[in-house]
Amino acid sequence: GAMAPLAARRSTGLAAVAGALGLAAGSLQALSRAFLAPSPSSPPALRGLTTGSTLAGASVDVAGSSDVLAQARAALLARKALKVDLTGKVAFIAGVADTSGYGWAIARELANAGATVLIGTWPPVLKLFEGTLKKASTNEARKLDDGSLMEIAKIYPLDAMFDAPEDVPEDVKNNKRYAGVGQYTIGEVVEQVK
């Protein structure tokens, strides 16, 4: 008996979420059709694609709105949007501890744009992360669009839970995983980066 109202609420909530997602998907499809419609300014490789055309050696089926065509146009537009010159700028990316997460991907794209990359990583994994970067197997993950390897100017220990040294509890201060890493609170790292 008590579970029925919960199940009904859950079902109603799921239906509302599904409806919202359906609306969002429909809106995105309409927007993508309008935004990605062929135009005289479209790259020549994408203009005039019809059923039976090939794109990068793959057959294209253009029946109304082609997923392949839309994806190709979106990819080209996204790459053009990323053509930002950050040469001479410094980017600090916090929360990077490996070469497979969002933080790493952000650092790579900023390096592709020419930024000097600084990384803040959680103190208990700092040595492990630094060791990973020294391995030749990491070179593929460090490879930039021009073929060079991403350089990290400096890696800072950073525990974003603590604004200042007085915020760090004694058990953390005495934890062997924090031993020898230096200053790691937000305020201390800000002062080092300045």
Side-chain angles (χ1 to χ4, degrees), residues 81-162:
L82 292 175
K83 297 295 181 198
V84 175
D85 184 11
L86 297 177
T87 305
K89 303 292 183 184
V90 177
F92 182 89
I93 304 94
V96 180
D98 59 40
T99 60
S100 63
Y102 289 118
W104 183 264
I106 291 166
R108 230 179 118 261
E109 287 304 317
L110 291 167
N112 269 323
T116 299
V117 173
L118 307 176
I119 287 180
T121 194
W122 191 46
V125 298
L126 175 66
K127 290 179 181 140
L128 180 67
F129 180 56
E130 289 173 332
T132 298
L133 294 177
K134 292 177 184 173
K135 294 179 181 177
S137 61
T138 307
N139 286 350
E140 190 61 34
R142 292 179 53 215
K143 194 173 289 184
L144 299 176
D145 291 349
D146 67 2
S148 66
L149 296 180
M150 176 174 70
E151 295 294 328
I152 299 170
K154 183 152 174 68
I155 301 173
Y156 294 88
L158 173 68
D159 193 326
M161 289 292 294
F162 311 114

Side-chain angles (χ1 to χ4, degrees), residues 4 6 15 34 51 54 56 79 100 112 125 155 158 165-166 170 177 179 182:
L6 177 61
T51 300
T54 59
R79 287 317 287 168
S100 63
N112 269 323
V125 298
I155 301 173
L158 173 68
E166 56 271 11
E170 284 302 315
R177 294 169 31 163

Side-chain angles (χ1 to χ4, degrees), residues 21-69:
L21 288 174
L23 283 173
S27 298
L28 286 173
Q29 286 174 343
L31 181 62
S32 69
R33 278 194 299 275
F35 186 65
L36 300 173
S39 73
S41 64
S42 294
L46 297 180
R47 263 187 265 135
L49 283 179
T50 60
T51 300
S53 297
T54 59
L55 181 63
S59 177
V60 177
D61 179 12
V62 184
S65 67
S66 166
D67 285 342
V68 173
L69 182 60

